[in-house]
Amino acid sequence: KEKGVFIVFGRELFVPGLNINLGANMNDFKENRIYCFTNFEYEIEEKFMILAEYDNVNYFPEARLNAGLRLNVSENIGIDVAGRDIASSDRKAERIVKISYTGKF
């Protein structure tokens, strides 16, 4: 959607490598709707992570459960394989493959 504003609070909890985040975002300034989300990332090894997210928490008809795996090929390159909206019975789930590069300049 359009550009917006979001805020996230996160912390490593319970076991080493398990990061839990809570957040809120707004991208429609005409309706002033705020969406909330929670996610977790669990780093099994330095190169492999399990990801899960539940978004649109405060507006249940549009809530989505997303899950995936991340493989960090190198310090700068990661590959994600994920599913978006995997628990919905009336909407079609999306499959995602993402290759990302993170660098500094």
Side-chain angles (χ1 to χ4, degrees):
K1 290 192 170 192
E2 310 85 32
K3 294 181 181 180
V5 176
F6 72 94
I7 187 165
V8 179
F9 298 98
R11 184 173 184 114
E12 184 176 69
L13 289 176
F14 308 120
V15 295
L18 176 62
N19 292 302
I20 298 175
N21 302 297
L22 300 171
N25 64 302
M26 180 175 27
N27 59 5
D28 186 351
F29 296 102
K30 292 177 184 173
E31 293 185 26
N32 291 326
R33 287 177 82 174
I34 297 175
Y35 294 96
C36 300
F37 60 91
T38 184
N39 70 3
F40 83 84
E41 304 171 344
Y42 182 57
E43 187 174 356
I44 294 177
E45 291 185 14
E46 200 172 301
K47 295 189 175 263
F48 187 71
M49 296 177 80
I50 297 173
L51 313 166
E53 175 187 50
Y54 191 61
D55 65 0
N56 297 339
V57 174
N58 57 319
Y59 190 64
F60 192 72
E62 292 182 16
R64 297 183 300 205
L65 177 62
N66 311 316
L69 303 171
R70 176 175 294 149
L71 176 64
N72 292 316
V73 178
S74 71
E75 186 177 316
N76 299 340
I77 298 173
I79 300 172
D80 292 2
V81 177
R84 180 179 292 152
D85 206 8
I86 61 175
S88 176
S89 60
D90 60 339
R91 294 184 304 255
K92 207 171 189 180
E94 298 176 41
R95 294 171 289 222
I96 301 164
V97 176
K98 178 175 83 172
I99 300 172
S100 58
Y101 173 80
T102 304
K104 298 177 185 177
F105 58 91

